[in-house]
Amino acid sequence: MKILGPFMMLLLATSAVAEPGSAAAAKPTKPAAKPAWVYQKGRMNWEGDWSFGVDEVDYRDKAAAPIEGPFDIAISGRQWGGWQPFFSLTCQSQHAVCFDTTPYKFLIFSGKGTVAHQIFQVGFMSPGDKPDGPVIMVSQYCSGGSDLEVGKWTSCKIPLSAFKLIDTKISKFWIQDQTGLTTNKWYLDDVGFTPD
């Protein structure tokens, strides 16, 4: 067994130090943002909803067999009804406390239809009920690139870049039924924003 002298040990120790500007000397990067869940595992994490054209929004539904957790959301709606969660009441008048979308790249959710050709559109609003960016038809961003299947959860992942938001701090968004039926029922689960 060869024993290293003090000079050789010092030489080995200093050679392991990274040169300034090298990748090894770079400062640690900020960890990626975690998903920001609006609704997950049976829990609503935003302050409430201003849904429209609906008779009931049930946040404790079990009939649709929730993806994870005890509940999912059941929406019993009329023609063109939509689920519209809002981040906070304060956000309506104080822009600084609205939901900042900049750490995220996608809006994600899972939906389950009760009729054939269940389709949705999604849109965003900035504080003061100002529509922000175009409204997006969801089907092309759902697994299989099609409408929701009856009785089966379908995951959807929409790039936030598709919305071309002018104001990246939002107050609310909506997921709206586009089947055109007089009445309809549908389900949502795992709704949120993700960085990847």
Side-chain angles (χ1 to χ4, degrees):
M1 177 175 165
K2 186 173 181 181
I3 298 175
L4 298 175
F7 177 75
M8 285 301 292
M9 291 176 67
L10 179 63
L11 185 63
L12 286 172
T14 55
S15 67
V17 175
E19 291 293 322
S22 71
K27 291 182 181 177
T29 57
K30 186 177 178 182
K34 294 180 180 176
W37 294 108
V38 178
Y39 183 92
Q40 189 203 31
K41 296 182 180 177
R43 181 177 175 187
M44 177 67 161
N45 297 307
W46 280 21
E47 200 165 297
D49 77 78
W50 286 316
S51 296
F52 53 90
V54 299
D55 297 316
E56 182 183 19
V57 177
D58 181 3
Y59 289 96
R60 298 175 64 82
D61 178 73
K62 294 181 180 180
I67 295 171
E68 54 183 334
F71 309 114
D72 54 56
I73 309 170
I75 297 103
S76 299
R78 300 183 297 279
Q79 191 174 41
W80 320 122
W83 178 66
Q84 184 172 241
F86 66 87
F87 184 62
S88 78
L89 288 172
T90 310
C91 165
Q92 282 295 88
S93 59
Q94 295 180 31
H95 183 268
V97 299
C98 292
F99 181 77
D100 184 5
T101 61
T102 54
Y104 308 101
K105 291 184 181 175
F106 299 95
L107 170 67
I108 57 173
F109 67 88
S110 291
K112 183 185 279 191
T114 59
V115 296
H117 307 298
Q118 177 78 57
I119 55 175
F120 294 128
Q121 69 175 9
V122 174
F124 283 90
M125 283 195 167
S126 296
D129 292 335
K130 297 174 188 166
D132 194 352
V135 175
I136 302 290
M137 294 303 291
V138 174
S139 297
Q140 63 181 316
Y141 300 106
C142 296
S143 54
S146 63
D147 306 338
L148 302 187
E149 292 185 45
V150 175
K152 181 180 177 183
W153 287 109
T154 302
S155 60
C156 303
K157 187 175 184 178
I158 312 169
L160 291 176
S161 60
F163 294 100
K164 300 178 175 65
L165 296 175
I166 295 166
D167 187 346
T168 56
K169 285 199 168 182
I170 61 161
S171 61
K172 57 190 174 182
F173 65 94
W174 69 85
I175 301 174
Q176 182 183 16
D177 176 47
Q178 290 292 295
T179 58
L181 297 174
T182 306
T183 60
N184 198 2
K185 187 168 189 174
W186 37 285
Y187 304 92
L188 294 171
D189 207 348
D190 286 352
V191 183
F193 296 84
T194 182
D196 47 33

